[in-house]
Amino acid sequence: MSNNVLEIQNLCVDFLHEGAYNSVVRNVSYTVERGKTLGIVGESGSGKSVSSMAVMQLLPPKPKCRISGKILFTDKDGKQTDLLSLPNDDIRNYRGRHIAMVFQEPMTSLNPVHKCGEQIVEMLREHRNISRKEAYKAALDLMNEVMLPRPEKIMDSYPHEISGGQKQRVMIAMALACNPDVLIADEPTTALDVTIQKTILQLLKKLQSKYGMAIIFITHDLGVIAQIADEVAVLYKGEVVEKNTVGELFAAPVHPYTKGLLACRPPLHSRPFHLHTVSDYLSGSVDDTAGCETPELRAERHNKIYSQPPLLQVKDLEVTYALEKNIMGKVLQSLTAVDKVSFDVYRGETLGLVGESGCGKTTLGRALLKLINTNSGSITYNGVRLDQLTDNKMRALRPKLQIIFQDPYSSLNPRITVGNAIMEPLKVFGLGGKNNAERKEYVCNLLKEVGLQPEHYNRYPHEFSGGQRQRVCIARALALSPELVICDESVSALDVSVQAQVLNLLNELKNKFNFTYIFISHDLSVVKFLSDRLMIMQKGQIVEMGEADSIYANPKQEYTRKLIEAIPQIG
């Protein structure tokens, strides 16, 4: 008897757009065994999520969406059902009870107006004939099972009151409420800290071992797949281009797309001048002659950088937030987000700032640019005390100090074209030309510098992919010819292939224009690739600082070791 719990046969999904159907998923076939994990890998737009939403029957109805093929589910008694043949009322008996899903973004998947516990209780009562009291106890048990701290408090908390990792655990608890046969995890660790990502992966494996459920794990990161999957299906443009066991696929990938996905991850034990990208492999233009930075070249470059005076000096910087005030405005309770931090940044270097969410790194980055107020300490840029400048004097320095934010979509005004978004600061500071025609030409040249085209000038942000939007934000930050650029998690939510392109771009622009970067991230592998020095931040303090390769090879702090051990590795 077959041990397959789910079998997808020639699945096709087409969406209606402007009177014609566009094919998004084409003849996708795979099987999932009970108790095993199938990893589905591919970039954004490859059809990963759409094919899994088809399994859950969560896609729009006809005629907006057209689905064909077979989705065969086999229950514990051996009864096989084609889910595509079921009417809407019957599919509800399978959704949640037999096949559950953990969505990519828990903040938008959880209802913001209902407490976390209530949402799990609702799931339990929908599918199991139990009282509200029994459902509450079962929900509390589930929260304990997914190792949520203070489960009674989280039961009574709204989604915005808990962290990203905790929200993801609530989603997992909800998905496990009815002990499903199949759990679909759609990018459940994207943009999470590497340490939280590691605990989520360990949790899923533990729960799978306990309940014997099958898992379909969707991601763009083959490093994550290596930690959790038994078999892998690689999707490219809606088609499965390669299927194999994890060991075989990583040892001998066949398709150029798979080779590209493996190659574009930043290496941990070498420093290539240029990261390979997926497009290099698909076009057959892989250049293995670019080489790597040798320790001798690196030492020579560092001697040059660190023999000059610092560009930025930070001493005993402190930032606190008021958590509670009385009716008179007096602070009753506060949080120290940045606690007596001191460091220097040298012209031409990339200083990596690493730490988990909540450690204070974003607060520190914004404090350096006076985007938020500081409580004490000093920030000296090129001999000028920024913390003592008036708003008007600080405004005059803004062109030299720029920031690239984490989310490019929320950083761009959706109502204006990207060309006008880049031109706006040029007009404010009277740079880029004598008139708008000259400024437009300047912006078009900038677009080409970041890998876009002049015809993109009149497009709106929603017309671009995530990687393209990030390139627009980079162009806007570079428009004013800055000296210091703070990159705040600027590649954390991008596909690994797009991430490689953006990292290459940042390095190329730095070499061409002699920028100085402070690169903020929770991903130590990315930061190590870019950085000359690393600063490790924990609970508002710098706990370790030094040359990037030295810290990676010989971390002095247990916290740093934990961050390094959490990096997903292949092989």
Side-chain angles (χ1 to χ4, degrees), residues 1 157 265 279 283 315 321 344 377 379 407 448 533 565:
M1 179 179 168
S157 298
R265 300 176 72 249
S279 59
S283 64
K315 291 185 179 178
Y321 292 115
D344 295 335
I379 307 166
D407 182 1
K448 287 193 284 187
R533 289 185 300 151
E565 289 168 1

Side-chain angles (χ1 to χ4, degrees), residues 84-101:
L84 284 182
S85 67
L86 296 178
N88 286 338
D89 289 343
D90 290 348
I91 195 67
R92 291 185 67 187
N93 295 324
Y94 289 85
R95 192 188 297 140
R97 175 182 282 181
H98 295 291
I99 306 175
M101 193 164 186

Side-chain angles (χ1 to χ4, degrees), residues 242-274:
E242 190 163 358
K243 278 191 292 188
N244 215 327
T245 63
V246 167
E248 290 291 331
L249 184 127
F250 290 154
V254 175
H255 197 277
Y257 183 68
T258 311
K259 294 177 181 178
L261 285 178
L262 283 164
C264 64
R265 300 176 72 249
L268 292 170
H269 304 291
S270 63
R271 287 192 167 275
F273 292 117
H274 182 86

Side-chain angles (χ1 to χ4, degrees), residues 136-205:
Y136 185 89
K137 184 181 181 305
L140 199 57
D141 290 341
L142 282 164
M143 286 199 169
N144 276 306
E145 186 140 48
V146 299
M147 295 182 289
L148 276 163
R150 309 180 316 280
E152 292 87 357
K153 179 172 177 55
I154 291 179
M155 282 283 289
D156 201 41
S157 298
Y158 290 95
H160 72 272
E161 296 179 301
I162 60 178
S163 71
Q166 289 172 340
K167 282 194 278 281
Q168 199 61 281
R169 287 170 187 262
V170 171
M171 286 291 298
I172 293 171
M174 195 181 304
L176 296 175
C178 299
N179 190 12
D181 298 276
V182 181
L183 177 68
I184 301 173
D186 186 6
E187 299 268 17
T189 60
T190 296
L192 292 180
D193 295 340
V194 285
T195 48
I196 297 173
Q197 174 179 271
K198 185 177 180 180
T199 58
I200 293 291
L201 296 178
Q202 290 172 339
L203 173 64
L204 287 173
K205 287 199 284 188

Side-chain angles (χ1 to χ4, degrees), residues 378-393:
S378 64
I379 307 166
T380 305
Y381 167 75
N382 255 347
V384 178
R385 284 281 299 271
L386 300 185
D387 54 291
Q388 295 180 346
L389 291 182
T390 62
D391 289 345
N392 283 338
K393 288 184 178 179

Side-chain angles (χ1 to χ4, degrees), residues 46-326:
S46 63
K48 311 185 300 292
S49 296
V50 169
S51 60
S52 298
M53 297 282 269
V55 173
M56 293 289 290
Q57 298 287 285
L58 292 175
L59 294 174
K62 294 179 180 178
K64 292 181 180 178
C65 180
R66 187 173 63 188
I67 307 174
S68 62
K70 290 185 176 181
I71 300 174
L72 303 175
F73 170 77
T74 305
D75 65 19
K76 291 183 175 72
D77 298 323
K79 180 186 174 184
Q80 193 174 74
T81 306
D82 183 0
L83 301 183
L84 284 182
S85 67
L86 296 178
N88 286 338
D89 289 343
D90 290 348
I91 195 67
R92 291 185 67 187
N93 295 324
Y94 289 85
R95 192 188 297 140
R97 175 182 282 181
H98 295 291
I99 306 175
M101 193 164 186
V102 179
F103 295 96
Q104 178 174 354
E105 180 44 69
M107 191 65 226
T108 55
S109 303
L110 293 170
N111 192 324
V113 300
H114 290 288
K115 294 177 179 178
C116 295
E118 282 297 318
Q119 297 185 56
I120 301 176
V121 167
E122 180 187 22
M123 178 79 174
L124 288 161
R125 298 199 70 194
E126 176 70 24
H127 291 284
R128 289 162 59 177
N129 187 25
I130 56 177
S131 67
R132 183 173 183 80
K133 184 177 180 180
E134 290 171 322
Y136 185 89
K137 184 181 181 305
L140 199 57
D141 290 341
L142 282 164
M143 286 199 169
N144 276 306
E145 186 140 48
V146 299
M147 295 182 289
L148 276 163
R150 309 180 316 280
E152 292 87 357
K153 179 172 177 55
I154 291 179
M155 282 283 289
D156 201 41
S157 298
Y158 290 95
H160 72 272
E161 296 179 301
I162 60 178
S163 71
Q166 289 172 340
K167 282 194 278 281
Q168 199 61 281
R169 287 170 187 262
V170 171
M171 286 291 298
I172 293 171
M174 195 181 304
L176 296 175
C178 299
N179 190 12
D181 298 276
V182 181
L183 177 68
I184 301 173
D186 186 6
E187 299 268 17
T189 60
T190 296
L192 292 180
D193 295 340
V194 285
T195 48
I196 297 173
Q197 174 179 271
K198 185 177 180 180
T199 58
I200 293 291
L201 296 178
Q202 290 172 339
L203 173 64
L204 287 173
K205 287 199 284 188
K206 176 186 172 185
L207 294 169
Q208 181 182 42
S209 177
K210 180 175 180 179
Y211 293 108
M213 63 185 174
I215 295 177
I216 298 174
F217 195 97
I218 300 168
T219 183
H220 61 261
D221 191 343
L222 280 165
V224 172
I225 286 294
Q227 310 300 308
I228 194 167
D230 300 296
E231 295 186 329
V232 188
V234 181
L235 262 68
Y236 175 60
K237 292 186 176 179
E239 297 179 358
V240 176
V241 296
E242 190 163 358
K243 278 191 292 188
N244 215 327
T245 63
V246 167
E248 290 291 331
L249 184 127
F250 290 154
V254 175
H255 197 277
Y257 183 68
T258 311
K259 294 177 181 178
L261 285 178
L262 283 164
C264 64
R265 300 176 72 249
L268 292 170
H269 304 291
S270 63
R271 287 192 167 275
F273 292 117
H274 182 86
L275 286 175
H276 287 314
T277 64
V278 168
S279 59
D280 294 337
Y281 282 85
L282 291 174
S283 64
S285 59
V286 177
D287 181 11
D288 289 320
T289 64
C292 298
E293 184 181 49
T294 63
E296 293 76 19
L297 277 175
R298 189 169 172 81
E300 183 182 333
R301 188 167 58 81
H302 283 179
N303 285 337
K304 183 179 178 182
I305 289 173
Y306 300 122
S307 63
Q308 58 188 330
L311 176 68
L312 183 75
Q313 294 175 289
V314 180
K315 291 185 179 178
D316 296 327
L317 194 68
E318 185 174 290
V319 181
T320 62
Y321 292 115
L323 298 179
E324 186 181 353
K325 295 181 179 180
N326 62 18

Side-chain angles (χ1 to χ4, degrees), residues 332-344:
L332 301 177
Q333 186 180 2
S334 63
L335 170 71
T336 302
V338 177
D339 188 5
K340 302 293 183 185
V341 165
S342 300
F343 62 92
D344 295 335

